[in-house]
Amino acid sequence: MRWLHFFGLTLCSTVLALYESDVGVVDWHHPLVGVPLTSSLNTPPTFHSIPGRPPTEALLLTATSSNVLACTAHLSLSDSGTAWRFIFAPTDHIIHYQQHRDIVVSLSGPGGSTLRTFDCLTGQLILEKRLHAPHTDHLESDDVGLGAAIAFIPESDDVFALTNGRTVRRIGADGAVRWAWESADKSASVVYAKLVTTPSTVYVISLTKSSTSKTLYISSLSTSTGELVASTSVPLSVAAGPSDVLALSSDAATLIPRVVWLEAGTILSVALVPDLTEKHTSVMGSAYTRIVDIGLQNKGHFVALTMNDTGRVLKLDVDKLKVIWEFTDSGKSGRHADSLYIGGLDRDGFPYIGRVFWSFVVRKASAHVYAPHLAAGQGLVSGFTFNFDTEAHGIISHVALHTAYVKEVDLLPYLALTTSTGAVQLWQGDIVQWTREEGLSRLQVAEMVELPEQKITAAHTVDERDTFVERISRQLTDAKELHLYMLNFVKRFVAGPNASTQKEIAFDSLTRDAFGFRQVIVTANDLGKVYGLDSTSGAILWNRVLGLGWAAQIGGQVIPSKLFVVRTIADGGSPEAVLVAQRRASNGLVDTVLFHVNALTGEDVLGKSPADEVLQGVDLISGPLLEAYQLPGNHKAVILLDEFRQVYVYPETPANERALAKAIGKLNVVLRTGLPGQRQLTGHQFSNADVGRPTAFATWASSLPAGEEILSVIPRPSGPVASLGKVLGNRTTLYKYLNPHLVAVTTASPDTCGVYVIDAAKGSIVYHVSIAAKQGRCDLHATFVENWLAYVYWEEEYQWVGQTKGRRLVSVELYEGSKPDDKTRSSELSSHSNKTLAVTAIEQSYIFPHAITSITTTSTKYGISTKDIIVANENGQIQSFPRLFLNPRRTKDKPTAEEQEEWLVQYDPVLPDDAHRVLSHNYHVANIRHILTAPALLESTSLVFAYGLDLFGTRVAPSGTFDVLSETFNKAQLVFTICGLAAAIMATRPMVRRKRLRERWYQ
């Protein structure tokens, strides 16, 4: 019978699956790579010229904050496609990468524990090698990448890898370690390390920190054997940091490598010779405040800033450092922002030094590029301005430089800009080639907003004095679009539910389609930007940069907390959304700010910020936010709690204040209180104050075990409930437990994980389960809707028969009373009633096929359709599991006739990993953190939006498309049948009329 059972489940899945022709039509996928890591010295974006290819086919390599190593398509393309990307594990952070010939070498993990090599053009993984245990690093700095380095020698594919700041290995192309050397001095902590190679010698430079001072250590090793040749140390009188030390080398055999450092305003350097006997020298002529690594250390160039921030280019010379250029007007000035200094190469390996800055005078960005080798070795500077939109992309945080075609008096520079909002732009001179909104990989909150119907207005004003000819003329003019309407009607009828796709919807017309599949996804990231996306394609409809307000003068960050839709199309007018955010200023102050936008256009509802400027918010709370909620009912106001539990309402209108006062005695909220490690749940109610604002007061506190940390609090959605119970095969009824105050809570402790369902009104525990957790591992995800709780966790291996380690999904349904037909009206009960604890929990566990990163349920307009589970698994798939499989009442034996009436199937502990239920098809949707669902106008259909590193959108029909014609329905035959019947009626009508007339004559 088991084969018959699986056949039935497979058949069900196949019927509900999408057709192959729907892929890319009803769904979309936007792969991203993440925001480039520009804060580290070893991971910013760099250009790579392809040997034997035109210079415009150079590639842009980058490591990102999403732990991705990526390569963007070559510069001659007009789009921003990604050539390849490699996604590292969450615990295996990229700390260094470097390109050499046709490969890219990366070090990842603590101290550079893992080395990988990739093909530069295809991204194919060539070699992966573990160099040391991940938790044995000896680095003092939080930036572990400062203790790792990669170096090469000419005419060799071997890699010299410095890890942990102390260990150097020579690794062959086959992964074999030729030799390894480790520093004997382990008394001081390494804060910075670097490698410099010559054909015969490897120099290891490390900056170490002891309890009293910092010391620069230099060791020389043989490249062939790894033997220590010599070592020396340079005590530093002034505490230097990693950015104050550079290691310069050159392709020219006549130039000796040097170590450069800044001490007390003086640039000092020492030549690197095998016996390390050289004395250090200084650069005379000026006092300096900073030396800048521009990515040209292996070409012998860097930039130093004088006391007034003027930028000077210094070059490695035969026996010293030489100043070869000074950027004019680069010092401190109110006319321009601070300059960014960059270096780049052309395909022949010649260096270029650039300066990019924002001019307050012309309101544009400017770039100056200096080529030291042009103009007969005298150097040539090329400058231009370009229209960088700071209102749309924030400020420029990093620039990468590449020069394609070089003439004796002209340059064609390419600039790759990384902005503060996460955008990446490629500029060819003053012309932008493409823009990638990588800030979309950092989304924190999202909501879907319905679009309004298209309004049809009369083309002419009706006037009773119009003549008959004028009226006919006007009506004919108004009917000129009739053929288009009829064509669209027939097209939609023939195409069925897929008629409203991104290919058929006018992008500039923000109106909903026939079935409500097109909506606006309002979303925001933690880089200070809010977006409006098209749910049918993922295209950006609008975007706004969030202003810092008073913190703009000192810098800061706007971090989204909650997003609420405060007006829908049902309320009249344009839909609106309110973003609640925390503003963290650079001086440590934290306050709460709200941004109120038109969901269709991104315009400021309050009218404070023009559409072409930064969006300014409303400073509501002078301090951190404790929690934010939406007031139930028609007002949709937002209520917020500050750290003193004072209540704020937004918008602060008399109507909203009256609504709050009316509902204030009925609101029950749950807050996480206490210090880390001593967290507890506390229930609160609100009270009106005679003077000042209403306040929240504690009504109960949870008694969680000591050391149990609260992971998440999951409120039950307040959507429609179509059915209050489930009729069984014996005609009795199980009534759903629909207490409106329920919340689900997940917890973790060193030994256990916990799942609770708690009554927020009085703190009663309705359901609780404790799960064993080994070594504090608590990979727990849960979702809660109506009376159904589902959670997925990792279960460790047990000793008794039938238990194995793996992931489990537990499905729990809560019903009123202790048996069928017990009815307590849980949705209407007072919180003081004892019947609130009259509940029965029915649960069943299943073996789950994959680890997941997010879980949710589908949602439909009236709640009639079945609610399926949708998960994002670690294999990069978005997958759905039908409610039929997850019914906790599935029978252990063959279903009886009564159980078959309920559509109960025989229990099987293993959930089928059905490929037909993979919503993302063959897309690899990476690192999804959250899944959002929203109803369409069709009751059968739920919209799905998944976001994380990638973005993915689709729509699903959990109960089938029962309210629209299926794809296989023969619509043409239906039309012909109707037309045939209509023709038959018309043909037989005279015959029937004559027959009736004849019958009357003979009556």
Side-chain angles (χ1 to χ4, degrees), residues 104-128:
V104 179
V105 182
S106 73
L107 290 174
S108 59
S113 59
T114 304
L115 178 140
R116 293 179 178 88
T117 61
F118 305 88
D119 184 280
C120 195
L121 294 179
T122 65
Q124 180 181 358
L125 179 62
I126 301 172
L127 172 66
E128 179 173 341

Side-chain angles (χ1 to χ4, degrees), residues 449 563-568 571 574-579 596-597 605 630 634-638 650-651:
V449 182
L563 181 65
F564 301 100
V565 179
V566 296
R567 175 184 285 182
T568 65
D571 302 318
S574 295
E576 300 173 2
V578 170
L579 175 66
H596 195 166
V597 298
V605 172
Q630 193 158 17
N634 297 326
H635 291 276
K636 298 184 178 64
V638 179
Y650 180 85

Side-chain angles (χ1 to χ4, degrees), residues 825-889:
R825 298 183 181 273
S826 56
S827 61
E828 304 171 2
L829 281 177
S830 167
S831 59
H832 303 290
S833 174
N834 291 330
K835 292 184 178 180
T836 56
L837 293 179
V839 56
T840 298
I842 304 175
E843 59 183 326
Q844 186 61 267
S845 66
Y846 303 89
I847 297 176
F848 203 67
H850 303 291
I852 68 171
T853 59
S854 183
I855 182 172
T856 191
T857 58
T858 57
S859 59
T860 54
K861 192 172 184 64
Y862 301 106
I864 298 173
S865 295
T866 302
K867 288 180 169 55
D868 285 356
I869 288 286
I870 298 179
V871 302
N873 63 41
E874 291 188 350
N875 294 339
Q877 297 174 325
I878 310 297
Q879 197 168 9
S880 69
F881 290 87
R883 181 73 178 270
L884 175 67
F885 293 3
L886 305 176
N887 192 331
R889 297 180 60 252

